[in-house]
Amino acid sequence: MKNYLLNMKSLVAGAAILLSVSTTSKAQESDSNNDESRNWKKGEFGMRFMPTFSGLTLNTGDGGTTKGTANLGFGVGAFFAYNFTTHMGVQLEGIYSSFSQKYSEKDVEREITLKYFNIPLLFSLNTGINKLVNLNLVVGPQMGISVGSRIQSQGTGDSTLIDPVLEVKKGDVGFAYGAGIDFGLNESRTIRLSLGYRGVMGLFDISDNSRTKSTDNYYVLDKTKIKTNAAYAGVSIRF
């Protein structure tokens, strides 16, 4: 009987310990969920700087084509994001970008510069926007509006060399994609530093060869689609 009572006391003590551990664990989990809830901010606004490289196929005066040498361009912009959960969201961006290409033709150096205001609408996947470090992927369409283009030439070259004409359509549509990493800068992780990559594949021909040109001119762009690769760095605030 004595052994039986000792066993019962041991069982009761063990049950009490398990109940205490379980209650503590649930309390910690509840506190963690409350912290998560307090940190959950669905909106986000940010600014970015985007060094950009581009690739274009260019026509030459003798009827051939050449690949221009890409110069480092730049982009600056802002974005607004809405996060459905800590792992999924959408973001609308506005980006001004300028990029250029250089090529040589019979001792004449030419440089083409294109300027666009781009509006990507992207779907985002995140490992956890409330975390100290968040990895993300984005994909979606991008609409571009041409806000300027020019061609500059240096050198005398051959006297028989004909002049290039640069004509660009007002609009462009592309497919944007990218990846990045975000770092929470404050305790609540509502202020974030972002670093990443963004690529854009143009879907349509941007060249406009509908205007009349003389026999002394040629269109430098023909059936040309824009392809760009950019890095970005920026800061944002969640609200």
Side-chain angles (χ1 to χ4, degrees):
M1 185 67 178
K2 185 176 181 181
N3 291 336
Y4 175 77
L5 291 175
L6 288 174
N7 290 336
M8 288 297 294
K9 289 181 180 180
S10 298
L11 288 173
V12 171
I17 293 172
L18 288 175
L19 180 61
S20 175
V21 171
S22 176
T23 302
T24 303
S25 176
K26 288 182 177 180
Q28 290 175 345
E29 182 178 354
S30 176
D31 290 342
S32 176
N33 290 335
N34 288 336
D35 289 341
E36 180 80 2
S37 177
R38 284 194 294 269
N39 289 337
W40 175 230
K41 310 292 185 182
K42 293 186 176 182
E44 185 173 5
F45 175 79
M47 306 285 289
R48 285 177 179 166
F49 175 70
M50 304 177 71
T52 304
F53 288 95
S54 63
L56 297 173
T57 299
L58 308 172
N59 293 329
T60 58
D62 58 6
T65 60
T66 185
K67 288 285 188 181
T69 301
N71 289 343
L72 179 63
F74 71 93
V76 291
F79 73 91
F80 171 77
Y82 183 85
N83 299 297
F84 305 113
T85 72
T86 58
H87 302 294
M88 291 187 299
V90 293
Q91 60 189 55
L92 179 67
E93 303 180 1
I95 304 168
Y96 171 81
S97 60
S98 175
F99 53 88
S100 60
Q101 302 266 279
K102 284 185 177 181
Y103 73 102
S104 298
E105 185 177 14
K106 296 183 179 179
D107 297 327
V108 175
E109 294 288 333
R110 303 195 194 279
E111 182 175 10
I112 293 172
T113 301
L114 302 178
K115 299 177 181 180
Y116 278 86
F117 181 73
N118 294 309
I119 307 172
L121 178 60
L122 306 173
F123 175 73
S124 64
L125 292 174
N126 301 273
T127 56
I129 61 172
N130 283 344
K131 297 184 181 299
L132 180 61
V133 178
N134 172 57
L135 302 177
N136 68 78
L137 296 173
V138 296
V139 292
Q142 173 176 290
M143 183 179 71
I145 302 171
S146 175
V147 292
S149 60
R150 71 174 185 228
I151 184 167
Q152 297 174 300
S153 301
Q154 292 183 344
T156 56
D158 193 330
S159 60
T160 63
L161 193 64
I162 60 178
D163 294 325
V165 175
L166 177 62
E167 295 290 348
V168 178
K169 293 175 182 175
K170 290 298 183 182
D172 184 35
V173 177
F175 176 73
Y177 51 93
I181 183 170
D182 307 311
F183 302 94
L185 299 181
N186 60 344
E187 185 177 355
S188 60
R189 294 150 196 176
T190 54
I191 300 175
R192 303 201 295 173
L193 169 68
S194 300
L195 304 172
Y197 162 80
R198 177 69 56 79
V200 178
M201 182 76 69
L203 301 178
F204 298 102
D205 177 14
I206 65 165
S207 58
D208 183 3
N209 298 346
S210 61
R211 300 188 183 185
T212 303
K213 63 178 180 63
S214 69
T215 55
D216 294 332
N217 301 120
Y218 70 94
Y219 288 115
V220 69
L221 296 180
D222 183 31
K223 298 179 180 179
T224 301
K225 297 178 181 179
I226 294 179
K227 180 179 181 181
T228 60
N229 294 283
Y232 69 79
V235 293
S236 64
I237 182 169
R238 294 169 47 223
F239 56 89

